Amino acid sequence: MSTLLQEIEAQIAGVKTSVAKQNVGTVREIGDGVAKIEGLTDVMLNEMIDFGNGIIGLALNLEETEVGAIILGDYTSIKEGQEVRTTGKLLQVPVGKGLLGRVVNSLGQPVDGKGPIKSDVSYPVEKIAPGIIKRKSVNQPVQTGIMAVDAMIPIGRGQRELIIGDRSTGKTTLGVDAMINQARINQAADAAGDKDTRRLYNIYVAIGQKQSNVARVVSVLEEAGAMPYTIVVVASASDSATNQYLAPFAGAAMGEWFMDNGMDALIIFDDLSKHATAYRQVSLVLKRPSGREAYPGDVFYLHSRLLERSARLGEKYGNGSLTALPIIETQLGDVSAYIPTNVISITDGQIYLETDLFYQGIRPAISVGLSVSRVGSAAQIKAMKQVAGRVKLELAQFRELAAFAQFGSDLDAKTQAQIERGKRIVEIFKQSQYKPIPIEVQVAVLWAGQNGYFDDIPVDRVKHAQAKMTDYLTNRKTDLMAKIAKEKALSDALTADLKAAVTEFKQTYK
Amino acid sequence: MKISKQARREAKQVFRICLANGTLDPNRVRQVVQHIIVQKPRGYVGILSHFERLVILEEHRRTAKVESAVPLSPELQSTVQNSLERVYGNGLNISFSQNPSLIGGMRIQVGSDVYDGSVQARLNALQESF
């Protein structure tokens, strides 16, 4: 017994309490969410700094004698002379499916009062985008449910498509519609027990927006049953600029988790103009040199590194994707301003919304001439390509002829017919908000439009006829619609069936 | 007072002149300051104040503060001094002081590195872990 005691005593005497080395600094200046800290000789760029009381900061500026850090959280309780510590960690946010259906802030903390978030995985907020080897070209569609977009400006999974327009032209609505449509497709697949359909999860990042706007979007998503497939990241106008600056990166980290785990996600940044403004504020307070319009020199890199993180991964790397829909608000339609041109050049195309069209009643107010999708056509389903292949060109021709016809000169029959057809196509593309249209219905209606089935209906009745036709096709021709959705192409047999169905409808329609 | 970039650069140069084998040479510092005051080059007040700041930071970097709850025995002091010099090299200004609020143990700060083995620090860590 005594030998055992001696043994233990010897072991205990051998144990020394180790003291870890810490690196500390002193707060020299504090204000506007930014602290200047002296000391911290071992601090790394973008490292988290512990201010005590659960407040953390991020080291953004490493200078000769001091460190500039942004503070996440309440900076009013921090005092000059206070001691701070390095943590050796990067800023991380919780990720995973536990976040679906939740509203979180830019640190991934819940703000919806639904209790703590169940998540055991965290991702760093700043992450290097996947490289060339991991990527694959875009070849699967994102069905937005907006006919004009799916037909003329198709978006593929892994694409970055900018939504740009003046205030109140329906930019957010376009994004919300796309999210609702994904929820609709996911719900249908869940109900059918279909495991093959690739679900697309939504992440909505609200940057610098009014809380009331965010609440409205959340309630629309809830009403449409889209919340179970959606994560909402909020850094509202009343949050600090530092949180607004971090929010899209936090959202991108949440999306990357889906991508890395072989799933698909759609992220909407609403909007990046306010993000650039928040970053400008942070940079100016940090006394970084300012450039054009007082934006810092790295405002391009800010957005390029963010949007570069959306990608389509190859089969070997899980086959996941992250599609980004950044939103930019222009002033008086000026797309040649600094931030809009930056983001236009980064993205793979843009959807341009015009105030004039909006007030003419053409909603969504998509300007066909200025909107492009650089990679999405590879992802469009064959049936849509068959019916919509020439629509964009025809609409452009219609615009030109319509402008020409305003001079009142007599027109030949062919031109007249083209103008009449164009007017009807414009009508067909009009769509009310929060009502996405399934792709098979889009194909059938466009086919009818292309083949002149609306030509004898007065322009102001086209919308009515379209609604009736949609009703007829979805309720009475369910099999045909299911077939189009399944085959994803209009074979000769299907075309004949479709023709018969539409002819039958025309006979009954008055 | 706003110190111009030029003044900062010159102060940095002056500071480098004062370094001998990586440590600050007090005699050179005195000489340099005397020289600048006599010569009065352009923006010399700025140069001097930035130089002062650099010297303060360097001093801070080479200063070791050893705090303990109870006075340390001379043997222990020399052990601490030796081990610190082994890590940080010669030329450290070591100051020993007492701080009863530590409750027990020792807290050593060299520049911005802190080795906190005090009871108070562990209590704080325990409190944060809850």
Side-chain angles (χ1 to χ4, degrees), chain A residues 87 178 201 213 237 284 289 339 369 383 396 459 490 505:
Chain A
T87 58
Y201 298 97
N213 275 355
L284 289 176
I339 302 301
V459 174
L490 287 179
F505 164 75

Side-chain angles (χ1 to χ4, degrees), chain A residues 287-366:
Chain A
K287 298 208 169 76
R288 288 182 174 178
S290 58
R292 182 173 160 191
E293 289 169 32
Y295 287 107
D298 63 342
V299 76
F300 184 89
Y301 177 58
L302 173 80
H303 289 149
S304 67
R305 74 169 188 265
L306 172 69
L307 292 170
E308 200 58 19
R309 284 163 74 175
S310 58
R312 171 76 202 279
L313 298 185
E315 264 98 21
K316 262 206 235 162
Y317 303 94
N319 207 15
S321 76
L322 179 62
T323 312
L325 294 180
I327 293 177
I328 286 279
E329 186 180 292
T330 53
Q331 305 293 328
L332 294 171
D334 183 15
V335 283
S336 58
Y338 189 27
I339 302 301
T341 43
N342 276 357
V343 184
I344 286 172
S345 74
I346 294 164
T347 48
D348 311 309
Q350 70 275 353
I351 298 173
Y352 184 53
L353 302 173
E354 270 183 3
T355 322
D356 286 354
L357 292 174
F358 190 83
Y359 291 117
Q360 279 167 31
I362 301 170
R363 296 175 197 181
I366 297 170

